[in-house]
Amino acid sequence: MASSTPNEVESKSFRERILRPLAVPLLAVFTSLVIGALIIVFTAENPAIGLDKLGKGYWGMFEGAFLKRNGILNTLVVTSPLILTGLAVAIPFHAGLFNIGAEGQFIMGAFTAVLAGIYLDLPPVIHPIVVMLAGFAGGALWGLIPGLLRAYLGAHEVINTIMMNFIAFALVSFAVRGPFLDPNTSSVQTYPIQKTAELVRISGRFHIGIFVTLLVASVVYYFLYKTTWGFSLRTTGHNPNAAKYAGIRPRQQFVLSLVLAGGLAGLAGSLEVQGLTHVVTTGIRAGYGFDAIGVSLLALNNPLAIIPAAFIFGALNIGGDFLQIRAGLSVHIVSILQAFILLFVAAPSIVRYLYRLKVSGGVAEGAPVTRGWGG
Amino acid sequence: MSKKRMSLFVLAILVLSLVLAACGGTAEKKVCAVLDTGGENDKSFNEFTLKGAREAADKAGLEFAHIVSESDADYEKNINNFVDEGCGLIITVGFLMGDTTKAAAIANPDVNFAIVDVDYWPGFGCDEGVDSCYSEEGGLSNVTSLMFAEDEVGYLAGTLAGCMSETAVIGTVSGMEIPPVVKFVVGYQNGAKAQNPSIEALNVYIPDFNDPTTGKQAGETQIGQGADVIFGVGGNTGNGGLLAAHEAGLMAIGVDVDQYNTYPEVQASLMTSAAKNMDVATGDAVTAYANDTLEAGIQLATVANGGVGLASYHDWDSKVPAECKAAVDAAAAGLTDGSISTGYAP
């Protein structure tokens, strides 16, 4: 393939700056929907039934995610944790690390948030903020441990973040069944947080957490691209040795990136508790931390692009229920769609070949793909 | 086919399907089921609830839809989606959905709810002061609880165990000490004693439904004390008891569903299972809804109405002597006509 298409003019047009980078992700989503449609049609009893199911299912998916009462709001409700956990994957990516632990960090954040919500007595406004900080701290701790292990012992962060997930599952499961079990309800759950710690719900399940999330995403963007700290972090990701020669300490950057990532995932857990569940249950494993890897990949690890990417995943998540509700299809079709989206984003040449796209000049803004073992 | 034709073809499929979808009409009554995370093929509560509800809805010509919850944070969302979809009867499954179903029922008084295996009583699920939760003042006048007479089917299992035991010692490895488990155990022990007054009935409650290791140890202890029939009453914990009996080459009795299908490892030792027929119970509720005769309150599935009963003997059909089968049948007849009481008092 032709690898160099010199930019004609230096002043990049809108088309060049915005549309080009969007082409592959958007076409990936579209292509996945087409493949999903083919799967639905050809796995049905006969094509006529398949077409009927496809129509009902896809229309239901669209209506459920956007049009129906609270549809778009429900989508935004799940978009919020996906943005934060997406950032929790993207930031370590920029430092050259792969964080598989967002799920565990999310859970720990939810758990510490619940504790702060139950046991602290604080006035409104202040209480929610303290609870968010507690959630951030819980997640950050879960990022700190693999961060330190990576930086000072060279233990691979992929293994350790995965292991930390299991520790978080087990720890919270124990705490929920044991010391913090609320005996006054039929579910296995903790006591609810105090009213003062809850986030305001605007309509249905839609709570104000998403505004916190958007603010945080903007701050992260500013941090990564407009501050010296962010520059050091990204430089470490591109080349730790070069960073060292430039006076940056890669070890610190490794730890910092995972602590920050853990904190953001923890904040996501905290917002989920404050806005939605008000308790932690044994079913807290919502999978946001794993979907986040896809979100981050779809966004090419760009903190601002994570917002629309999370929105797409959120819409698929909410709309996906209607594949089953309206057409009796398995909700797992959505997982297939998401997997294909990732496949096409990870292997963009497939999409470029299908749609005859030219290779764009610079996708250089994307973070480096993490290095191999021991790199 | 050229690339261009191919894309046109795909586009045509998409457009056509949207058109077809828009033409779909909606029936007047709609039945919807929210399953728990176990999913459609759990060979247990969810699978049989779905089966019963779907078959009854099809038979009555009602529209039917269901959804599997991905996590227990999804219950509220799934129930609300079905309310929005215009479902007239929403069926929910299991203990964990108790609170969410209650909240949804109060928020949507025009929708009927049926919940499998959960009941509400004053102070638990509704106000302390009311006589009945399933009333206007109790707030749940649109809720039907599909409950099971565990003591009755436990009694049948006990009759069989009392008849089959050679050592005259039988055991139960039980889960948490909550009403449905206690009912199974009491019925089982009384059934066995009615069959053989000198029988010794051992029991242990283990406060966890997912601890097969402790369950197995408890089973081994009971076997050490001479038990030769083990009744496992507590999900995976009870399964540990079944496994202990199986490994010792003794007799086991399963619970809730036909465990011959759900726990094939112990098939050779499994005489039968004390089954709750969720499909019958939910099917009856759906049919009642179709005929506008669904009532709020507790609908008890009993031996008499076929809602509970012993599962097939399977491999033990030839090994259970005719007199024991006759004893079980006689006990079932007695429970049906009311001449036998299980001795369970709440």
Side-chain angles (χ1 to χ4, degrees):
Chain A
M1 279 223 178
S3 56
S4 63
T5 44
N7 292 339
E8 307 87 34
V9 202
E10 203 29 60
S11 65
K12 289 182 178 175
S13 61
F14 171 79
R15 182 192 158 95
E16 198 67 22
R17 274 181 348 124
I18 308 291
L19 288 186
R20 269 282 174 81
L22 276 181
V24 167
L26 286 181
L27 286 171
V29 171
F30 174 75
T31 316
S32 308
L33 286 171
V34 172
I35 291 179
L38 294 176
I39 292 175
I40 291 169
V41 171
F42 288 106
T43 53
E45 294 89 330
N46 65 52
I49 294 179
L51 280 180
D52 183 49
K53 281 189 171 179
L54 172 64
K56 282 183 182 156
Y58 269 27
W59 174 247
M61 198 154 81
F62 184 70
E63 212 185 348
F66 305 113
L67 301 183
K68 86 180 226 348
R69 187 174 72 101
N70 287 339
I72 185 78
L73 295 181
N74 280 337
T75 298
L76 290 175
V77 167
V78 299
T79 300
S80 171
L82 284 173
I83 293 173
L84 288 174
T85 50
L87 290 171
V89 176
I91 293 171
F93 246 132
H94 281 281
L97 299 179
F98 201 6
N99 179 20
I100 316 284
E103 185 77 3
Q105 293 148 8
F106 175 91
I107 290 170
M108 286 311 292
F111 182 59
T112 47
V114 145
L115 294 187
I118 297 172
Y119 294 108
L120 296 181
D121 291 309
L122 293 167
V125 188
I126 297 179
H127 202 174
I129 295 173
V130 171
V131 170
M132 283 178 212
L133 291 176
F136 187 96
L141 174 69
W142 238 239
L144 173 68
I145 297 169
L148 289 174
L149 290 173
R150 174 68 180 85
Y152 295 100
L153 298 175
H156 205 284
E157 79 282 356
V158 168
I159 303 287
N160 287 320
T161 50
I162 293 175
M163 291 306 158
M164 294 302 282
N165 283 342
F166 288 108
I167 298 172
F169 299 154
L171 196 66
V172 171
S173 178
F174 163 74
V176 170
R177 283 170 205 273
F180 305 103
L181 177 72
D182 180 355
N184 305 317
T185 141
S186 67
S187 349
V188 181
Q189 62 184 42
T190 59
Y191 292 95
I193 59 173
Q194 296 183 28
K195 291 270 175 255
T196 47
E198 290 177 8
L199 289 180
V200 180
R201 285 197 188 187
I202 296 168
S203 164
R205 285 155 43 90
F206 182 71
H207 59 88
I208 57 171
I210 184 126
F211 302 113
V212 178
T213 299
L214 292 175
L215 182 70
V216 168
S218 320
V219 171
V220 168
Y221 178 81
Y222 183 83
F223 164 81
L224 268 184
Y225 290 106
K226 311 285 177 197
T227 66
T228 326
W229 296 326
F231 178 77
S232 309
L233 197 143
R234 286 184 296 128
T235 309
T236 308
H238 282 294
N239 189 335
N241 293 328
K244 216 172 190 172
Y245 282 115
I248 299 166
R249 284 186 237 168
R251 286 176 171 178
Q252 281 183 357
Q253 300 303 320
F254 289 155
V255 176
L256 174 71
S257 72
L258 279 172
V259 165
L260 202 55
L264 293 177
L267 177 63
S270 169
L271 295 178
E272 195 80 348
V273 164
Q274 291 174 273
L276 282 183
T277 61
H278 303 157
V279 296
V280 166
T281 68
T282 48
I284 183 75
R285 299 169 64 167
Y288 290 126
F290 297 124
D291 285 351
I293 299 167
V295 168
S296 180
L297 198 56
L298 181 59
L300 302 173
N301 303 313
N302 180 315
L304 291 184
I306 277 178
I307 296 170
F311 183 73
I312 290 173
F313 268 60
L316 282 172
N317 184 329
I318 290 296
D321 290 345
F322 288 81
L323 287 176
Q324 187 154 51
I325 291 174
R326 293 279 178 81
L329 295 161
S330 167
V331 286
H332 299 300
I333 298 267
V334 166
S335 311
I336 298 180
L337 294 181
Q338 291 177 341
F340 270 112
I341 292 174
L342 296 188
L343 177 74
F344 291 133
V345 173
S349 47
I350 302 178
V351 172
R352 293 215 183 88
Y353 172 76
L354 277 176
Y355 297 97
R356 306 282 188 275
L357 292 185
K358 285 181 190 147
V359 179
S360 60
V363 198
E365 272 311 299
V369 175
T370 49
R371 284 175 307 280
W373 298 91
Chain B
M1 228 188 312
S2 74
K3 275 274 146 49
K4 205 166 185 182
R5 281 231 188 113
M6 188 73 167
S7 5
L8 276 176
F9 174 68
V10 170
L11 198 67
I13 289 186
L14 286 173
V15 171
L16 189 65
S17 55
L18 286 182
V19 172
L20 280 175
C23 302
T26 43
E28 274 208 330
K29 281 181 168 179
K30 191 167 175 184
V31 178
C32 306
V34 180
L35 303 187
D36 207 340
T37 50
E40 297 124 320
N41 302 312
D42 68 348
K43 294 179 183 162
S44 184
F45 280 80
N46 292 299
E47 179 170 343
F48 290 105
T49 299
L50 177 64
K51 175 172 175 275
R54 176 183 274 154
E55 285 174 2
D58 285 350
K59 207 169 163 192
L62 305 185
E63 209 181 322
F64 179 78
H66 78 283
I67 184 143
V68 176
S69 301
E70 297 271 292
S71 85
D72 56 12
D74 285 350
Y75 302 150
E76 182 190 357
K77 180 190 75 182
N78 291 341
I79 292 176
N80 287 341
N81 274 340
F82 274 144
V83 170
D84 290 349
E85 291 286 293
C87 300
L89 171 63
I90 297 176
I91 299 166
T92 57
V93 183
F95 209 53
L96 295 179
M97 281 194 223
D99 288 344
T100 325
T101 304
K102 178 189 73 188
I106 292 170
N108 303 285
D110 299 334
V111 180
N112 291 299
F113 288 84
I115 181 159
V116 178
D117 220 19
V118 176
D119 58 353
Y120 304 96
W121 61 86
F124 189 87
C126 65
D127 291 338
E128 296 270 2
V130 300
D131 292 330
S132 161
C133 295
Y134 304 92
S135 62
E136 291 291 336
E137 51 160 2
L140 301 176
S141 58
N142 52 340
V143 176
T144 309
S145 289
L146 305 176
M147 303 303 288
F148 300 86
E150 288 92 357
D151 51 334
E152 294 194 359
V153 66
Y155 191 92
L156 297 184
T159 307
L160 178 67
C163 187
M164 293 296 291
S165 174
E166 288 167 12
T167 58
V169 182
I170 60 169
T172 37
V173 174
S174 314
M176 211 179 288
E177 192 173 355
I178 54 174
V181 175
V182 176
K183 281 163 83 178
F184 268 125
V185 173
V186 171
Y188 177 77
Q189 296 184 340
N190 290 338
K193 280 172 185 152
Q195 186 63 30
N196 176 0
S198 65
I199 208 150
E200 188 184 348
L202 308 171
N203 176 49
V204 58
Y205 290 111
I206 298 162
D208 187 345
F209 286 107
N210 197 13
D211 189 355
T213 315
T214 309
K216 192 176 171 214
Q217 285 165 358
E220 283 163 352
T221 306
Q222 294 179 350
I223 290 166
Q225 291 168 310
D228 62 351
V229 185
I230 302 285
F231 181 30
V233 198
N236 265 329
T237 308
N239 284 351
L242 301 184
L243 186 61
H246 175 69
E247 288 184 354
L250 300 170
M251 294 170 275
I253 298 175
V255 79
D256 283 347
V257 293
D258 187 349
Q259 290 205 271
Y260 192 84
N261 301 321
T262 55
Y263 194 25
E265 290 84 346
V266 299
Q267 276 175 354
S269 307
L270 196 74
M271 289 198 288
T272 184
S273 302
K276 302 178 180 181
N277 299 324
M278 298 91 186
D279 49 343
V280 176
T282 29
D284 287 351
V286 170
T287 308
Y289 167 70
N291 300 331
D292 292 317
T293 55
L294 183 67
E295 287 174 12
I298 295 174
Q299 303 281 329
L300 190 64
T302 59
V303 168
N305 62 26
V308 295
L310 289 188
S312 161
Y313 295 114
H314 293 289
D315 299 350
W316 278 77
D317 198 34
S318 55
K319 286 185 261 183
V320 176
E323 53 166 300
C324 289
K325 288 182 185 168
V328 170
D329 291 344
L335 289 168
T336 305
D337 66 22
S339 62
I340 293 179
S341 150
T342 63
Y344 173 80

